[in-house]
Amino acid sequence: MADVKLYSDVGTQRFGQVFGDLLLLGWIAFCTALGLIVFKITNALGYPGRKAAEAGDGLAGDLHNLSGPIGKVPLVGDQLRSPIDGAASAATKLAEAGRDQAHAVEQLAYLLAGVTIGLPVLFALLIWLPRRIRFSRRATAARKFIDNAADLDLFALRAMANQPMHKLAKISADPVTAWREGDAAVITQLADLELRTTGLRLPKPALES
């Protein structure tokens, strides 16, 4: 992992990469904060259900507490207790309905928060990640071939194959002939052009020459 090149040696290119990475982190932080806000707002809609569950549990408990002593009243205890037990059962069902509603709202809140965070972040990663991986692979592979000035021929040749014609013309009116004749100055400039595109700089011996 230590041999993997993540950032360019060229100042402007490296600045763009760092800025892009920070922008991605900022976007993730923004989407996360927005997702939390969506979760809180949506989950708050379950407040009536939670209050209904709380009230139903309290009422059912009170009715059960009242049902016991009333059931002990001689002769009429069972008759008096029956409607109280029915009311307690209804209160329990009300509490269960409130909990079900609150749970459904909570699940919806998690879903909306996940979508709010996940989709924008995934979209950003689909744009950012391939470019960063492509650069890292190219730069890491190219660095293995640029140990010294003797390797410049390869990158000069690649420059003539890959670089725009107007950039090649600024270096030489006939770069192919210069390369075939071993013109060190032209070869160095061509290699430098290709290396900078890859995110690398010329090796020190080539710079000194």
Side-chain angles (χ1 to χ4, degrees), residues 79-104:
Q79 289 82 356
L80 294 175
R81 181 177 181 176
S82 180
I84 295 176
D85 287 343
S89 177
T92 300
K93 292 180 180 179
L94 175 65
E96 291 176 355
R99 276 190 290 272
D100 289 342
Q101 180 192 9
H103 178 71

Side-chain angles (χ1 to χ4, degrees), residues 41-189:
I41 293 175
T42 307
N43 195 43
L45 298 177
Y47 178 76
R50 289 189 287 272
K51 291 301 291 183
E54 182 181 340
D57 287 335
L59 179 59
D62 292 341
L63 290 173
H64 282 305
N65 292 335
L66 181 63
S67 174
I70 290 180
K72 296 178 182 179
V73 175
L75 301 177
V76 296
D78 290 340
Q79 289 82 356
L80 294 175
R81 181 177 181 176
S82 180
I84 295 176
D85 287 343
S89 177
T92 300
K93 292 180 180 179
L94 175 65
E96 291 176 355
R99 276 190 290 272
D100 289 342
Q101 180 192 9
H103 178 71
V105 171
E106 184 180 24
Q107 294 302 308
L108 177 62
Y110 278 117
L111 177 62
L112 292 179
V115 170
T116 302
I117 297 171
L119 287 183
V121 170
L122 178 61
F123 181 73
L125 286 174
L126 289 176
I127 296 175
W128 173 87
L129 196 57
R131 297 181 64 182
R132 298 294 281 120
I133 292 176
R134 186 164 55 249
F135 165 81
S136 181
R137 291 179 63 182
R138 287 180 59 193
T140 302
R143 188 169 57 178
K144 296 177 182 179
F145 293 96
I146 193 66
D147 297 326
N148 52 60
D151 298 320
L152 296 184
D153 275 356
L154 172 63
F155 290 95
L157 182 60
R158 285 181 58 84
M160 289 186 289
N162 298 331
Q163 297 298 322
M165 296 298 293
H166 69 276
K167 290 186 177 181
L168 297 177
K170 291 180 180 180
I171 295 174
S172 171
D174 190 357
V176 176
T177 300
W179 176 78
R180 286 174 178 171
E181 294 176 352
D183 189 325
V186 172
I187 290 174
T188 299
Q189 292 180 65

